[in-house]
Amino acid sequence: GESVGLHLPTLSVQEGDNSIINCAYSNSASDYFIWYKQESGKGPQFIIDIRSNMDKRQGQRVTVLLNKTVKHLSLQIAATQPGDSAVYFCAENTGGTSYGKLTFGQGTILTVHP
Amino acid sequence: SAVISQKPSRDICQRGTSLTIQCQVDSQVTMMFWYRQQPGQSLTLIATANQGSEATYESGFVIDKFPISRPNLTFSTLTVSNMSPEDSSIYLCSAPLGMDTEAFFGQGTRLTVV
């Protein structure tokens, strides 16, 4: 299918390597952040989230780091697999207590080579 | 997790015509949102679909171009009016499924205007 990420930054890794995807956000008042994965022809799929009172959160093979001082998020994927190939977006919740009103980062295309 | 379904999944439309996109959530949700994803770009919020009242539009989007309905807590429509080739994009609806939870997305509607 078509890729929505044709003009986005890219990251290429070998299968089994660790991947780090970075994101800068804009609003220092944002209190909730989410990483999404978007495969070709599909809508964004939730990966992991973090609230502003934390600086690190771990999931299965994924870790999100939040640096509020420089307004920076990163997503670390351990032992990257070919199925991880997709476009990854960070998003910040800008709706205050109304969750779901999101501002998205530009996205990164991750390609995992076998 | 709940399912968010969009119809149609894709369409090719003539310029000057309008297309209505439907979004159905399989549980009641307070908030629903519509996003646009232009080719090779990230997602941009169009509007918040409010149940029982007029939608709230983001800067750069207007009701005459993107009228939205929200007749109940599980359904919303977005119309793309008087289409031009610049409207060719993926349109996505989303909703958080509970209080303080991440937003889930439909699979998107890929619109091509010729």
Side-chain angles (χ1 to χ4, degrees), chain A residues 2 4 6-8 32 36 38 41-44 46 49 51 89 98-102 104-106, chain B residues 10 31 33 35 37 39-43 45 58 90 92 94 96 100-103 105-107 110:
Chain A
E2 298 174 53
V4 298
L6 293 175
H7 309 300
L8 303 177
Y32 180 56
Y36 287 95
Q38 187 176 31
K42 297 183 179 180
F46 170 84
D49 58 3
R51 301 189 189 275
F89 294 98
S98 297
Y99 280 73
K101 184 178 179 182
L102 302 172
F104 280 79
Q106 70 173 127
Chain B
R10 59 175 61 226
M31 310 294 287
F33 302 88
Y35 290 81
Q37 187 173 27
Q41 303 288 327
S42 185
L43 285 77
L45 179 65
E58 299 300 305
I90 300 172
L92 300 120
S94 77
D100 299 353
T101 65
E102 71 275 12
F105 283 81
Q107 82 278 19
R110 185 180 294 270

Side-chain angles (χ1 to χ4, degrees), chain A residues 63-101:
Chain A
T63 300
V64 54
L65 300 178
L66 173 63
N67 185 330
K68 294 183 288 293
T69 302
V70 295
K71 293 190 286 187
H72 183 269
L73 277 167
S74 68
L75 176 70
Q76 301 176 2
I77 305 174
T80 315
Q81 303 167 359
D84 295 327
S85 294
V87 182
Y88 289 81
F89 294 98
C90 68
E92 57 182 306
N93 183 70
T94 54
T97 55
S98 297
Y99 280 73
K101 184 178 179 182

Side-chain angles (χ1 to χ4, degrees), chain B residues 10-23:
Chain B
R10 59 175 61 226
D11 208 342
I12 300 173
C13 300
Q14 295 292 322
R15 68 179 68 200
T17 62
S18 298
L19 176 72
T20 295
I21 302 167
Q22 299 179 5
C23 180

Side-chain angles (χ1 to χ4, degrees), chain A:
Chain A
E2 298 174 53
S3 168
V4 298
L6 293 175
H7 309 300
L8 303 177
T10 60
L11 174 65
S12 293
V13 301
Q14 291 296 127
E15 181 177 3
D17 287 352
N18 296 331
S19 302
I20 299 176
I21 300 171
N22 296 303
C23 175
Y25 65 92
S26 57
N27 189 344
S28 57
S30 295
D31 61 356
Y32 180 56
F33 305 88
I34 310 165
W35 280 99
Y36 287 95
K37 172 186 180 183
Q38 187 176 31
E39 297 174 290
S40 182
K42 297 183 179 180
Q45 176 186 2
F46 170 84
I47 302 173
I48 191 168
D49 58 3
I50 189 167
R51 301 189 189 275
S52 59
N53 60 353
M54 304 173 70
D55 54 20
K56 180 179 180 179
R57 190 162 189 228
Q58 290 184 290
Q60 187 177 14
R61 284 202 305 119
V62 294
T63 300
V64 54
L65 300 178
L66 173 63
N67 185 330
K68 294 183 288 293
T69 302
V70 295
K71 293 190 286 187
H72 183 269
L73 277 167
S74 68
L75 176 70
Q76 301 176 2
I77 305 174
T80 315
Q81 303 167 359
D84 295 327
S85 294
V87 182
Y88 289 81
F89 294 98
C90 68
E92 57 182 306
N93 183 70
T94 54
T97 55
S98 297
Y99 280 73
K101 184 178 179 182
L102 302 172
T103 297
F104 280 79
Q106 70 173 127
T108 298
I109 303 171
L110 174 64
T111 303
V112 182
H113 301 283

Side-chain angles (χ1 to χ4, degrees), chain B residues 33-93:
Chain B
F33 302 88
W34 287 97
Y35 290 81
R36 181 176 72 183
Q37 187 173 27
Q38 295 176 298
Q41 303 288 327
S42 185
L43 285 77
T44 300
L45 179 65
I46 298 171
T48 302
N50 302 306
Q51 196 270 328
S53 64
E54 199 169 273
T56 306
Y57 290 83
E58 299 300 305
S59 176
F61 298 96
V62 295
I63 188 171
D64 289 349
K65 177 65 176 178
F66 297 102
I68 287 170
S69 78
R70 178 88 193 273
N72 56 52
L73 292 175
T74 64
F75 186 78
S76 179
T77 67
L78 170 75
T79 299
V80 186
S81 302
N82 188 24
M83 288 183 284
S84 67
E86 291 71 35
D87 295 319
S88 298
S89 294
I90 300 172
Y91 292 87
L92 300 120
C93 70

